[in-house]
Amino acid sequence: MGDLKQALADALDGARQRSLGLLDPLSEEEQLAQHSPLMSPLVWDLAHVGHYEELWLLRAVARTQPIDPAHDDIYDAFKHVRKERAGLAILGAAEARSHIAMVRGRVLDVLDKVELDPAVPLLNDGFVYGMVAQHEHQHDETMLATLQLMASPYPHVAVPAPAGRPLPEVEVLIPGGPFVMGTDTEPFAYDNERPAHTVDVADFYIDTAPVTNGQYLAFVEAGGYDEPRLWSDAGWGHRLEADLEAPQFWSPQGGGSWSVKRYGQQIDLPLDEPVQHVCWYEADAYARFAGKRLPTEAEWEKAATGASAAANLGGRHFGPSGVGAYPDGASRYGAEHMLGDVWEWTSSDFTAYPGFTTFPYKEYSEVFYGSDYKVLRGGSWATSPLVARTTFRNWDYPIRRQIFAGFRCARDV
Ligand code: AVJ
Ligand code: FE
């Protein structure tokens, strides 16, 4: 096998070891259960990544026949909403494992023989293999969100995250002017990151780091959740309807102290870590409280120029690091934690870049374009380094909190 093929096989293997490792500590019942109406049964995610792999690395690449036609319904994310999936005839824990292992075996045989023809867009630079490995890692992050929602503690070993350090300055100045947004050259970039195009932004300040639990606590304690003037109309409506009072998983301990539930353990709120499990409406209200605003995704991407993957990624810490823990990952402008720790809500809707074309299928990006979804950037502590890059775009509804999302603020000069 050539170097590229070996790297692709390694990427697939790395994703698989991660998926299996995440589910290893769980009983069959826990893998089949519906832990939240927002999430799939864990074993559905596992078999779904195998089905996606069959679709792209066997059926698309090698024109094979469907292994089990029923899977085209059961494991299609568009055919059944998440809360219905436990009621489908899904594979059990052992069956799912042997099924996806069988698919993987055939995939490696095909990879061995296929010509990665640069004239075929799906195969150029091994794109479709990168797409499938990224997809599995994205579902691993989804599974980590499900595990956090489980009623019983998730047995795991968290490698302690590095401590923070005092930041040199609270915000950095990003000079206005054109920059190149998106990419034409990242081999595994999704269609929504393309094409590269020039965008002009005015001078702005952006926070050096994401808003911390300590900073967010000041908003909670100042009555931010009871001050409609800090919220958008839709945000205030949602705050009332969902009875939001603090980030998800926080609980007051009396006397002004708070704890947070993390994978079933109750810990003191770590004040120096980025806040997570806040929805877009909460982020937007906090920014108003701070006299600032959320950055646009163009501003975010410009500020992130040169940020490196010296960052809290890959999930081994099971939570964010202290703010300031990764000075080496700073962007060209001195913005830290742009990659890793928490996804960062931006003010932008998820829309197509000028010149966008769907590739290779419209259900990855195109069907989600519009004003229903807000863009998140940067990846979280649970995001694989294979996925985290400064051009990567994530999106979700502005009410969602189960994802590992926080934010940083910006302001005009
Ligand atoms: C990009 C995270 C919004 O989980 O819905 C997984 C990724 N796409 N399978 C999602 C995805 C197809 C997607 N997000
Ligand atoms: Fe998927």
Side-chain angles (χ1 to χ4, degrees):
M1 250 195 221
D3 288 352
L4 174 57
K5 286 189 178 183
Q6 190 60 57
L8 298 171
D10 290 348
L12 291 172
D13 185 57
R16 182 55 43 82
Q17 288 192 33
R18 186 179 178 203
S19 309
L20 295 175
L22 282 171
L23 298 192
D24 244 7
L26 302 177
S27 68
E28 167 110 27
E29 199 187 349
E30 287 169 324
Q31 294 178 60
L32 286 164
Q34 180 89 48
H35 297 291
S36 155
L38 295 179
M39 309 308 282
S40 312
L42 291 154
V43 77
W44 184 93
D45 283 282
L46 187 67
H48 162 81
V49 302
H51 180 253
Y52 188 89
E53 182 167 328
E54 186 206 337
L55 280 178
W56 289 103
L57 303 187
L58 296 180
R59 286 152 74 173
V61 171
R63 296 194 188 77
T64 58
Q65 293 304 307
I67 297 172
D68 183 340
H71 289 185
D72 289 347
D73 176 76
I74 296 172
Y75 294 113
D76 182 333
F78 288 84
K79 298 256 160 74
H80 307 277
V81 296
R82 285 176 171 180
K83 66 170 185 282
E84 281 173 13
R85 294 174 187 168
L88 305 173
I90 58 176
L91 297 173
E95 294 165 316
R97 279 166 182 71
S98 62
H99 181 75
I100 66 173
M102 182 256 286
V103 170
R104 178 59 56 85
R106 296 187 193 181
V107 162
L108 294 176
D109 289 343
V110 169
L111 175 59
D112 200 33
K113 296 186 199 86
V114 75
E115 187 206 342
L116 296 176
D117 183 354
V120 178
L122 213 50
L123 298 176
N124 180 32
D125 293 324
F127 170 83
V128 74
Y129 291 89
M131 181 181 89
V132 168
Q134 285 183 86
H135 177 256
E136 182 155 354
H137 277 297
Q138 288 173 278
H139 277 272
D140 290 344
E141 178 159 355
T142 299
M143 291 197 285
L144 278 162
T146 308
L147 294 166
Q148 164 69 4
L149 288 162
M150 244 180 14
S152 56
Y154 172 59
H156 69 288
V157 179
V159 177
R165 74 179 210 303
L167 296 171
E169 48 205 346
V170 298
E171 47 189 6
V172 295
L173 175 65
I174 313 295
F179 84 105
V180 177
M181 186 173 187
T183 178
D184 294 327
T185 54
E186 271 291 327
F188 298 160
Y190 282 108
D191 56 0
N192 64 57
E193 299 166 68
R194 303 168 185 267
H197 58 291
T198 300
V199 174
D200 209 342
V201 295
D203 292 351
F204 65 101
Y205 285 101
I206 194 163
D207 292 351
T208 307
V211 170
T212 64
N213 287 320
Q215 292 171 314
Y216 197 87
L217 180 57
F219 165 69
V220 175
E221 286 179 337
Y225 280 81
D226 298 313
E227 183 45 79
R229 273 169 303 191
L230 294 175
W231 299 68
S232 63
D233 289 347
W236 183 248
H238 179 65
R239 175 261 172 267
L240 292 178
E241 193 192 313
D243 207 15
L244 303 183
E245 292 182 334
Q248 192 174 13
F249 308 115
W250 283 30
S251 44
Q253 299 302 298
S257 71
W258 290 73
S259 75
V260 61
K261 191 171 119 175
R262 199 171 279 178
Y263 293 98
Q265 282 156 6
Q266 210 61 44
I267 61 169
D268 292 342
L269 183 68
L271 296 176
D272 69 332
E273 288 179 11
V275 65
Q276 55 175 356
H277 300 300
V278 287
C279 69
W280 186 90
Y281 293 127
E282 290 168 297
D284 176 63
Y286 175 94
R288 222 168 270 119
F289 166 77
K292 300 187 184 184
R293 59 176 174 79
L294 295 178
T296 65
E297 66 167 322
E299 288 173 334
W300 189 98
E301 189 169 325
K302 183 170 189 180
T305 306
S308 85
N312 180 4
L313 294 163
R316 68 192 180 286
H317 301 312
F318 286 86
S321 61
V323 153
Y326 293 94
D328 295 345
S331 79
R332 174 197 293 173
Y333 303 104
E336 301 185 22
H337 300 265
M338 297 302 284
L339 298 181
D341 285 301
V342 289
W343 287 104
E344 298 181 20
W345 288 111
T346 71
S347 62
S348 302
D349 293 343
F350 184 52
T351 57
Y353 290 163
F356 167 83
T357 49
T358 283
F359 177 73
Y361 66 110
K362 71 176 183 344
E363 291 79 12
Y364 186 81
S365 308
E366 191 184 323
V367 300
F368 297 102
Y369 286 149
S371 53
D372 289 350
Y373 297 92
K374 293 293 184 191
V375 172
L376 301 112
R377 291 301 202 105
S380 77
W381 58 264
T383 305
S384 165
L386 198 69
V387 174
R389 52 186 172 265
T390 60
T391 57
F392 187 92
R393 307 170 76 198
N394 193 6
W395 64 92
D396 215 326
Y397 291 119
I399 65 170
R400 286 291 181 253
R401 308 208 290 176
Q402 86 283 3
I403 54 174
F404 307 109
F407 62 101
R408 75 179 72 211
C409 298
R411 65 184 175 93
D412 298 345
V413 170

